[in-house]
Amino acid sequence: MGMYTDLAGKVAIVTGSGRAKGLGEAMARRLAAEGCRVVLSDIGTARGAEIPADAIGSNAELERIVADIRAAGGEAIGVTCDVLEERQVEALVARAVQQYGRLDVMVNNAGIGYLMKPIVEMAQSEWDAVLGVNLRGVFFGIKYAARQMIAQGGGGRIINIGSQASKSGFPFAAPYVSSKHGVVGLTRTAAIELGPHRITVNTICPNHVTTGLGDWQNKFFSAATGRSEEKYLADMKARIPLGRPGLQEDIAKACAFLASGEADYITGEAMNVSGGEEYH
């Protein structure tokens, strides 16, 4: 039995959860361990130059993670969903309801964090891809999760995955920072609108976590700032009060808490989970 007994039997969707060692995978595993019936989703296949195969959760990887959750005694299915496509997000929610009868928790995690360039070199197609996945995709997730939660009654939980970049600027990451700041504004408005339905809407803002994406970011930023990767990581640890970068499990813990009844009076928040590195 998990820590939050009220999560047993709840139905949760986690977008962007089909990549091994990703935040989505960790959150899906934790929710399943708490007794949630979990619908994992990812884009599954590459989409154009901006969304290459090495940056996504493949269908095979998604199915492996689902199989692992089931092997550990959890209940889960995997559904392909491109959050750039409104109809696919609508269908994802419908599939969860078809499979499990309802929707209680929506985790909007799918995101792009690898299109890094100076503003003066950034192409519109790159800007549009990042804003599309990171902000428009969250809007679609909120829209269709909220429709279902309102229709069934009884409230619900919407958890968006922001970033330290929801609060602070970072070089070479203009669309990423803009989209993640945007998620905080969207969260605040959604919390106001959905509060009367007892649906809470919150954002988790992690600092750097060395996922597959995080490893790529380590290499990019160390090169961009003229440091060895070792020096870059040492400098990162030195500025974090708790002395280490984030772990996938740190974010999964926050997700389980916000999904649980313990967080039923928390809404509209952008909660830092950053070891003290981000305190805005």
Side-chain angles (χ1 to χ4, degrees):
M1 183 173 286
M3 179 182 292
Y4 303 110
T5 53
D6 63 298
L7 286 178
K10 294 282 175 72
V11 179
I13 292 173
V14 184
T15 68
S17 54
R19 197 170 186 202
K21 299 188 184 153
L23 297 182
E25 179 200 21
M27 290 185 288
R29 287 182 185 275
R30 176 61 190 265
L31 290 173
E34 293 288 343
C36 288
R37 296 172 286 172
V38 183
V39 178
L40 293 88
S41 83
D42 217 300
I43 189 171
T45 51
R47 174 175 173 152
E50 291 77 32
I51 305 178
D54 62 359
I56 61 165
S58 67
N59 286 321
E61 211 163 359
L62 176 63
E63 288 307 322
R64 268 198 304 275
I65 294 166
V66 169
D68 281 353
I69 289 172
R70 289 175 179 162
E75 203 169 337
I77 60 169
V79 179
T80 301
C81 176
D82 178 354
V83 300
L84 284 168
E85 302 293 339
E86 183 167 8
R87 295 282 77 85
Q88 290 192 33
V89 179
E90 183 179 22
L92 172 64
V93 171
R95 179 76 184 88
V97 175
Q98 178 196 8
Q99 182 76 19
Y100 295 126
R102 58 184 295 110
L103 177 63
D104 302 290
V105 180
M106 180 72 177
V107 183
N108 293 304
N109 170 70
I112 290 180
Y114 49 82
L115 291 173
M116 302 281 183
K117 284 182 181 175
I119 290 169
V120 294
E121 295 173 16
M122 183 74 61
Q124 181 184 321
S125 60
E126 294 166 324
W127 173 273
D128 288 349
V130 177
L131 269 289
V133 174
N134 291 9
L135 188 53
R136 195 175 79 201
V138 174
F139 157 61
F140 291 154
I142 293 170
K143 177 179 176 177
Y144 289 100
R147 282 187 178 183
Q148 174 59 32
M149 290 169 181
I150 290 166
Q152 71 195 22
R157 298 278 189 271
I158 298 174
I159 300 165
N160 305 317
I161 305 307
S163 168
Q164 187 178 2
S166 292
K167 313 283 186 81
S168 296
F170 292 88
F172 316 119
Y176 185 78
V177 171
S178 300
S179 67
K180 293 299 188 179
H181 273 66
V183 166
V184 172
L186 177 57
T187 296
R188 289 168 176 162
T189 292
I192 294 164
E193 291 187 12
L194 299 176
H197 300 284
R198 290 196 299 119
I199 298 166
T200 67
V201 190
N202 294 290
T203 290
I204 298 172
C205 298
N207 64 342
H208 182 81
V209 180
T210 299
T211 57
L213 168 63
D215 184 55
W216 179 91
Q217 289 173 337
N218 292 343
K219 291 176 170 55
F220 174 87
F221 281 110
S222 56
T225 54
R227 288 176 280 180
S228 69
E229 198 172 336
E230 293 70 27
K231 177 75 165 76
Y232 174 77
L233 290 170
D235 290 347
M236 182 191 295
K237 282 183 185 172
R239 68 173 182 261
I240 299 171
L242 290 182
R244 65 167 177 82
L247 299 171
Q248 288 88 331
E249 290 70 33
D250 296 319
I251 313 312
K253 287 173 188 173
C255 178
F257 167 68
L258 287 173
S260 78
E262 297 296 296
D264 61 6
Y265 197 61
I266 299 173
T267 196
E269 288 295 333
M271 184 170 84
N272 299 320
V273 182
S274 72
E277 185 181 5
E278 184 64 53
Y279 45 79
H280 297 97

